[in-house]
Amino acid sequence: MAETLTILGLESSCDDSAAAVVRHTPGQAGEILSSVVAGQAALHAAYGGVVPEIAARAHAEKLDICVEQALSKAGLTLREIDAIAVTAGPGLIGGVLSGVMCAKGLAAGAGLPLIGVNHLAGHALTPRLTDELAYPYLMLLVSGGHCQFLLVRGPQGFTRLGGTIDDAPGEAFDKTARLLGLPQPGGPSVEAEARKGDPDRFAFPRPLLNREGCDLSFSGLKTAVLRARDALVAEQGGITRQDRADLCAGFQTAVRDVLIEKSRRALALYLAEAPTAPAFAVAGGVAANQAIRAGLQAVAARTGARFVAPPLKLCTDNAAMIAWAGIELFRAGHRDGMELIARPRWPLDTTSSALLGGGRKGAKA
Ligand code: KG4
Ligand code: ZN
C-alpha cells in the first residue's frame, strides 16, 4: 500500500480530549496537519486527582468540538479522511467509551474504516512520527500513568522488558509535591526545589535495584519521603525551605538513579539483538525532567544508542500519536469494525506477566 494516507485520530483515555489529523506518504516523514488537545485539569483540580465520571462526561461533551477544530485547522472535511483511529484502551473506561462511540459514529456516518489503537502503542510509536526511527528500538514510557520499557518491533510487535509494580514515577513526583505542600503537577515543582537542594542529605532507597531485571517500584520512595518529613516535623516542629529542597533533591536523585540503572539493563537486553541503528526513545511527562533526561541520555551515549525524546507536546497525551499509530496499523492491513470494544486494560505485550497496580490515572497495563 503505497498511497498517501490522511487519518483522523481521537484520544480520550484519561483527562485530555483530543483530535488530530496526520498525513503520511511512504518514503516521507509524517505530517501533523492539526492537533487539538482540550485538557480537563481545571475540572478535576478540586478533587486532587482525575474523577472518572467527570472525565467521561467532559469527553462526551468536548470530543466532537475537538474533531471539528482538528478538521478545520487541517483545512479538510471528513470526505478527505481515509480512516478514523481511536484510542480503544487502556484507560478510564468511561472516557475510552466516549471516544470509541464518537469514532464509530463518524466512521459509520462517513463510511470510513475504523481503527482501534492501544494508547500505549500511540506513545510508543511517536518517535517514528517525529524522528523516523527504524524498528526495532527501545522505548521508556515514563509519565503520571505509565512506566514501562518496551522493545518496539512493529505497530503490533511489542516486547515488554519491565515496568513499575506500583506507582508510576510521575505519580510519585505528584505525591511528593503534595506531602511537601508544593503545587500540582508535582514534577515541575519538585524539580525546581531539587535544584536548590542537597541530594545526599537524605539516604532514600533505590527500590528494586538489587532485584534482577527491568521492573521498577516507586511507592516505597514516596513513603520514605513521608517518613523523613514526619521525622523533621517531630524534631523541629516543621520543615524549613532548605529541608524541603533537600527532600526534593534526594527524592529526584533516587528516581533518576533507578531509571538510569534499569535503562542500562533494558539497553543491554535490546542491544543483544544487534539492531542496525540502535535507538533509545523516551516519552511521557517525567521525561521533561532535566536531571532525569540528562541521566538517560548519558546511559544511551555510553552504549552508542541514539537518544530520542519527542517534543513534550507529543510525549504527553495527544491525538496525533493515535492518528499516527492508525496510519501504521492501516498500512499493516489492520481494520476494526463496529464490534470494536473499549478496554480498561489492554497490555501491549500479552506474553509478559500481568502487573499489579491501578493508580490514580487508571490501569497501567
Ligand atoms: O505524560 P503526562 O503529561 O500524562 C500522563 O501521565 O499520561 O505526564 C504527567 C506526569 C505528571 O505526574 C507530572 O508530575 C510529571 O509527568 N512531570 C514531571 C515533570 N513534568 C511533568 N515529572 C518530573 N519532572 C518534571 N519536570
Ligand atoms: Zn498517556
PDB file of all heavy atoms in Angstrom, residues 206-220:
ATOM      1  N   ARG A 206      16.741   2.992  46.793  1.00  0.00           N
ATOM      2  CA  ARG A 206      16.704   2.828  45.322  1.00  0.00           C
ATOM      3  C   ARG A 206      15.951   1.518  45.103  1.00  0.00           C
ATOM      4  O   ARG A 206      16.577   0.456  44.946  1.00  0.00           O
ATOM      5  CB  ARG A 206      18.121   2.722  44.745  1.00  0.00           C
ATOM      6  CG  ARG A 206      18.811   4.006  44.315  1.00  0.00           C
ATOM      7  CD  ARG A 206      18.879   5.049  45.347  1.00  0.00           C
ATOM      8  NE  ARG A 206      19.690   6.214  44.956  1.00  0.00           N
ATOM      9  CZ  ARG A 206      19.650   7.359  45.616  1.00  0.00           C
ATOM     10  NH1 ARG A 206      18.859   7.514  46.667  1.00  0.00           N
ATOM     11  NH2 ARG A 206      20.403   8.363  45.247  1.00  0.00           N
ATOM     12  N   PRO A 207      14.598   1.558  45.098  1.00  0.00           N
ATOM     13  CA  PRO A 207      13.818   0.301  45.120  1.00  0.00           C
ATOM     14  C   PRO A 207      14.105  -0.623  43.931  1.00  0.00           C
ATOM     15  O   PRO A 207      14.310  -0.170  42.816  1.00  0.00           O
ATOM     16  CB  PRO A 207      12.359   0.788  45.073  1.00  0.00           C
ATOM     17  CG  PRO A 207      12.407   2.210  45.530  1.00  0.00           C
ATOM     18  CD  PRO A 207      13.742   2.743  45.110  1.00  0.00           C
ATOM     19  N   LEU A 208      14.153  -1.893  44.231  1.00  0.00           N
ATOM     20  CA  LEU A 208      14.308  -2.987  43.252  1.00  0.00           C
ATOM     21  C   LEU A 208      15.660  -3.016  42.533  1.00  0.00           C
ATOM     22  O   LEU A 208      15.824  -3.784  41.599  1.00  0.00           O
ATOM     23  CB  LEU A 208      13.189  -2.985  42.195  1.00  0.00           C
ATOM     24  CG  LEU A 208      11.757  -3.226  42.663  1.00  0.00           C
ATOM     25  CD1 LEU A 208      10.867  -3.540  41.453  1.00  0.00           C
ATOM     26  CD2 LEU A 208      11.660  -4.373  43.655  1.00  0.00           C
ATOM     27  N   LEU A 209      16.615  -2.185  42.982  1.00  0.00           N
ATOM     28  CA  LEU A 209      17.905  -2.210  42.274  1.00  0.00           C
ATOM     29  C   LEU A 209      18.624  -3.531  42.476  1.00  0.00           C
ATOM     30  O   LEU A 209      19.350  -3.978  41.607  1.00  0.00           O
ATOM     31  CB  LEU A 209      18.813  -1.066  42.735  1.00  0.00           C
ATOM     32  CG  LEU A 209      18.680   0.243  41.976  1.00  0.00           C
ATOM     33  CD1 LEU A 209      19.930   1.071  42.087  1.00  0.00           C
ATOM     34  CD2 LEU A 209      18.330   0.022  40.510  1.00  0.00           C
ATOM     35  N   ASN A 210      18.404  -4.147  43.642  1.00  0.00           N
ATOM     36  CA  ASN A 210      19.107  -5.425  43.828  1.00  0.00           C
ATOM     37  C   ASN A 210      18.288  -6.626  43.375  1.00  0.00           C
ATOM     38  O   ASN A 210      18.679  -7.752  43.608  1.00  0.00           O
ATOM     39  CB  ASN A 210      19.606  -5.585  45.271  1.00  0.00           C
ATOM     40  CG  ASN A 210      18.587  -5.071  46.249  1.00  0.00           C
ATOM     41  OD1 ASN A 210      17.407  -5.008  45.886  1.00  0.00           O
ATOM     42  ND2 ASN A 210      18.999  -4.700  47.440  1.00  0.00           N
ATOM     43  N   ARG A 211      17.154  -6.329  42.701  1.00  0.00           N
ATOM     44  CA  ARG A 211      16.434  -7.439  42.071  1.00  0.00           C
ATOM     45  C   ARG A 211      16.766  -7.425  40.575  1.00  0.00           C
ATOM     46  O   ARG A 211      16.825  -6.358  39.960  1.00  0.00           O
ATOM     47  CB  ARG A 211      14.925  -7.271  42.255  1.00  0.00           C
ATOM     48  CG  ARG A 211      14.189  -8.558  41.937  1.00  0.00           C
ATOM     49  CD  ARG A 211      12.758  -8.316  41.556  1.00  0.00           C
ATOM     50  NE  ARG A 211      11.892  -8.093  42.705  1.00  0.00           N
ATOM     51  CZ  ARG A 211      10.579  -7.882  42.579  1.00  0.00           C
ATOM     52  NH1 ARG A 211      10.024  -7.845  41.385  1.00  0.00           N
ATOM     53  NH2 ARG A 211       9.844  -7.677  43.642  1.00  0.00           N
ATOM     54  N   GLU A 212      17.009  -8.600  40.023  1.00  0.00           N
ATOM     55  CA  GLU A 212      17.355  -8.689  38.600  1.00  0.00           C
ATOM     56  C   GLU A 212      16.231  -8.140  37.722  1.00  0.00           C
ATOM     57  O   GLU A 212      15.081  -8.131  38.136  1.00  0.00           O
ATOM     58  CB  GLU A 212      17.525 -10.161  38.224  1.00  0.00           C
ATOM     59  CG  GLU A 212      18.967 -10.613  38.194  1.00  0.00           C
ATOM     60  CD  GLU A 212      19.044 -12.080  37.829  1.00  0.00           C
ATOM     61  OE1 GLU A 212      18.590 -12.421  36.717  1.00  0.00           O
ATOM     62  OE2 GLU A 212      19.539 -12.857  38.664  1.00  0.00           O
ATOM     63  N   GLY A 213      16.568  -7.747  36.514  1.00  0.00           N
ATOM     64  CA  GLY A 213      15.535  -7.383  35.543  1.00  0.00           C
ATOM     65  C   GLY A 213      15.239  -5.899  35.500  1.00  0.00           C
ATOM     66  O   GLY A 213      15.945  -5.082  36.110  1.00  0.00           O
ATOM     67  N   CYS A 214      14.175  -5.555  34.767  1.00  0.00           N
ATOM     68  CA  CYS A 214      13.873  -4.151  34.475  1.00  0.00           C
ATOM     69  C   CYS A 214      12.602  -3.654  35.158  1.00  0.00           C
ATOM     70  O   CYS A 214      12.086  -2.598  34.800  1.00  0.00           O
ATOM     71  CB  CYS A 214      13.739  -3.959  32.964  1.00  0.00           C
ATOM     72  SG  CYS A 214      15.179  -4.467  32.040  1.00  0.00           S
ATOM     73  N   ASP A 215      12.069  -4.401  36.135  1.00  0.00           N
ATOM     74  CA  ASP A 215      10.887  -3.889  36.839  1.00  0.00           C
ATOM     75  C   ASP A 215      11.296  -2.766  37.783  1.00  0.00           C
ATOM     76  O   ASP A 215      12.434  -2.715  38.259  1.00  0.00           O
ATOM     77  CB  ASP A 215      10.192  -5.013  37.616  1.00  0.00           C
ATOM     78  CG  ASP A 215       9.331  -5.878  36.706  1.00  0.00           C
ATOM     79  OD1 ASP A 215       9.020  -5.416  35.578  1.00  0.00           O
ATOM     80  OD2 ASP A 215       8.990  -7.003  37.103  1.00  0.00           O
ATOM     81  N   LEU A 216      10.332  -1.882  38.032  1.00  0.00           N
ATOM     82  CA  LEU A 216      10.605  -0.725  38.890  1.00  0.00           C
ATOM     83  C   LEU A 216       9.526  -0.601  39.959  1.00  0.00           C
ATOM     84  O   LEU A 216       8.440  -1.160  39.827  1.00  0.00           O
ATOM     85  CB  LEU A 216      10.616   0.571  38.062  1.00  0.00           C
ATOM     86  CG  LEU A 216      11.475   0.580  36.812  1.00  0.00           C
ATOM     87  CD1 LEU A 216      10.606   0.455  35.570  1.00  0.00           C
ATOM     88  CD2 LEU A 216      12.294   1.841  36.728  1.00  0.00           C
ATOM     89  N   SER A 217       9.841   0.179  40.996  1.00  0.00           N
ATOM     90  CA  SER A 217       8.870   0.416  42.067  1.00  0.00           C
ATOM     91  C   SER A 217       9.123   1.812  42.621  1.00  0.00           C
ATOM     92  O   SER A 217      10.272   2.206  42.820  1.00  0.00           O
ATOM     93  CB  SER A 217       9.068  -0.635  43.165  1.00  0.00           C
ATOM     94  OG  SER A 217       8.464  -0.186  44.357  1.00  0.00           O
ATOM     95  N   PHE A 218       8.060   2.566  42.834  1.00  0.00           N
ATOM     96  CA  PHE A 218       8.248   3.941  43.317  1.00  0.00           C
ATOM     97  C   PHE A 218       7.440   4.273  44.564  1.00  0.00           C
ATOM     98  O   PHE A 218       7.618   5.343  45.129  1.00  0.00           O
ATOM     99  CB  PHE A 218       7.921   4.946  42.200  1.00  0.00           C
ATOM    100  CG  PHE A 218       8.883   4.860  41.057  1.00  0.00           C
ATOM    101  CD1 PHE A 218       8.554   4.168  39.897  1.00  0.00           C
ATOM    102  CD2 PHE A 218      10.143   5.433  41.145  1.00  0.00           C
ATOM    103  CE1 PHE A 218       9.451   4.052  38.844  1.00  0.00           C
ATOM    104  CE2 PHE A 218      11.052   5.325  40.105  1.00  0.00           C
ATOM    105  CZ  PHE A 218      10.700   4.634  38.945  1.00  0.00           C
ATOM    106  N   SER A 219       6.561   3.354  44.995  1.00  0.00           N
ATOM    107  CA  SER A 219       5.703   3.749  46.117  1.00  0.00           C
ATOM    108  C   SER A 219       6.489   3.816  47.429  1.00  0.00           C
ATOM    109  O   SER A 219       6.197   4.646  48.291  1.00  0.00           O
ATOM    110  CB  SER A 219       4.483   2.836  46.225  1.00  0.00           C
ATOM    111  OG  SER A 219       4.868   1.591  46.725  1.00  0.00           O
ATOM    112  N   GLY A 220       7.525   2.964  47.579  1.00  0.00           N
ATOM    113  CA  GLY A 220       8.333   2.979  48.804  1.00  0.00           C
ATOM    114  C   GLY A 220       9.111   4.272  48.943  1.00  0.00           C
ATOM    115  O   GLY A 220       9.327   4.785  50.050  1.00  0.00           O
TER     116      GLY A 220
END
